[in-house]
Amino acid sequence: MRLRTAAGAVLLTLTACTACTTGPSLENRGAVTAPPGDSRHLTIGSAGFTESDLLAQMYAQLLNQAGYKTSLITVANRELYEPALESGQIDVVPEYAATFADWLNAKTNGPDAPPVGSPDLTTTMKALRGLATPRGLTVLDPGRAVDQNAFAVTAAYARQHHLKTLSDLGASGLKVRLAAGDECVQRPYCEPGLKKVYGIDITGIDPKGVGTTQAKRAVQSGQDQMVLTTTSDATLDQFGLVLLADDRHLQNADYVVPVVNRARGDSERVTKALGKLNEVLTTADLAAMNQQVDSWRRLAQDVARTYLRNKDLLK
């Protein structure tokens, strides 16, 4: 994902502890090699973008209340933070079920391995845990919050053409220029999926990125008709945009899941502490908190604390 701290500093931090590996070697990835452990000090990893920062802050505050000492580290690149999670340099990270399953699958079975993430949460979690466990990682239960790819149009466009779902857009026969990342042309959950599953007439991809201000403005102005964003995007109202429902479930089950290093954080206390958040946190909650940080310029730590207190999860 995105990186906030200097890459060199992160590399120094992560390589300084290579001798203290607690996860299994690649030669032993087929079996669990470390028993469940319970460290008194847990390092929480963030991928450096707003939502990940918020989740990491909530994890840390809940674990502090459960009696742990915690520290936070930002490592935006999965190629860096996932090995650090295996080795025990990072103990807990917030992840997304389908995305992480596909990433581990490619790491284990090669970049051309068929994807294992799917729109079905149960299937996705089974695949994810099967890939994570041999690496010394435990994937805790997913909560209610999901951050999937999503597609938005202007509210005026939706009203004019009576659109509420992506199926409605496909049935309308409208020609659609899509503001998205340039990889959308090939990814099965973007242009190819929109055409195959929904029959949407995509006339071209405007490579302005995923959910960027530039992409949203292109749709707002009418230059493009639809933008690729995410379900927890908190800024759609500012651009007069609304999401079209993924009613045929094209997108994968990217539910928020805590992933822990088995030897250091796989304990009943950790599971119980983080499970409390899973019971209440929704996609709408994430979007609202993202907005407070991104639009209102509040600190992620303060937004996380206020949310937990309002939900009676923090004293």
Side-chain angles (χ1 to χ4, degrees):
M1 294 276 183
R2 293 173 280 279
L3 182 62
R4 276 190 187 168
T5 55
V10 171
L11 280 169
L12 287 174
T13 301
L14 295 181
T15 55
C17 194
T18 52
C20 58
T21 298
T22 57
S25 68
L26 295 183
E27 292 78 9
N28 294 325
R29 68 170 63 161
V32 176
T33 58
D38 192 5
S39 173
R40 294 182 177 216
H41 186 170
L42 296 174
T43 299
I44 317 299
S46 165
F49 57 98
T50 297
E51 187 168 292
S52 188
D53 288 345
L54 284 163
L55 289 164
Q57 287 286 351
M58 288 189 284
Y59 288 5
Q61 292 175 31
L62 289 170
L63 290 169
N64 285 339
Q65 182 171 257
Y68 293 94
K69 293 182 179 179
T70 63
S71 56
L72 282 85
I73 184 171
T74 299
V75 188
N77 193 326
R78 266 197 192 93
E79 283 77 7
L80 289 176
Y81 77 67
E82 190 279 331
L85 183 61
E86 288 188 33
S87 72
Q89 297 169 64
I90 295 175
D91 304 308
V92 186
V93 295
E95 262 293 357
Y96 300 91
T99 296
F100 196 44
D102 283 338
W103 194 90
L104 287 180
N105 185 46
K107 180 177 179 178
T108 302
N109 299 312
D112 296 326
V116 296
S118 80
D120 182 75
L121 179 58
T122 300
T123 301
T124 297
M125 287 298 296
K126 182 178 180 180
L128 174 55
R129 284 171 166 153
L131 290 159
T133 298
R135 293 183 174 276
L137 307 179
T138 296
V139 182
L140 303 184
D141 288 341
R144 300 161 59 192
V146 57
D147 192 354
Q148 298 168 303
N149 286 342
F151 298 91
V153 298
T154 65
Y157 185 84
R159 285 193 303 270
Q160 179 184 355
H161 299 290
H162 309 289
L163 306 177
K164 293 184 178 180
T165 68
L166 290 171
S167 288
D168 293 338
L169 182 56
S172 74
L174 292 165
K175 295 185 180 300
V176 175
R177 180 173 162 88
L178 176 63
D182 53 11
E183 70 279 3
C184 178
V185 175
Q186 296 180 331
R187 292 196 174 174
Y189 309 112
C190 201
E191 180 182 354
L194 291 173
K195 289 181 174 180
K196 181 179 179 180
V197 175
Y198 289 107
I200 297 173
D201 187 1
I202 304 293
T203 61
I205 300 299
D206 188 2
K208 286 184 164 58
V210 179
T212 63
T213 297
Q214 185 183 17
K216 291 171 189 171
R217 284 178 176 163
V219 176
Q220 184 183 38
S221 69
Q223 177 183 339
D224 300 326
Q225 287 71 52
M226 188 163 69
V227 60
L228 169 62
T229 183
T230 65
T231 52
S232 63
D233 190 326
T235 65
L236 294 178
D237 286 348
Q238 298 175 24
F239 298 90
L241 302 177
V242 293
L243 293 179
L244 296 181
D246 180 22
D247 53 308
R248 296 183 185 173
H249 307 292
L250 171 64
Q251 301 305 321
N252 278 344
D254 260 330
Y255 285 76
V256 175
V257 290
V259 182
V260 303
N261 176 282
R262 178 179 173 84
R264 293 179 53 81
D266 188 2
S267 72
E268 185 177 346
R269 275 201 302 164
V270 170
T271 300
K272 184 177 180 180
L274 299 185
K276 292 178 180 178
L277 180 61
N278 281 350
E279 293 173 3
V280 301
L281 184 66
T282 66
T283 305
D285 292 341
L286 276 180
M289 285 189 283
N290 286 338
Q291 183 180 39
Q292 290 179 57
V293 175
D294 291 335
S295 299
W296 304 355
R297 302 304 180 192
R298 294 189 60 196
L299 295 176
Q301 181 179 359
D302 295 338
V303 173
R305 183 183 299 110
T306 299
Y307 177 81
L308 294 176
R309 286 177 174 170
N310 287 343
K311 295 295 183 178
D312 296 322
L313 298 181
L314 199 65
K315 297 178 182 178

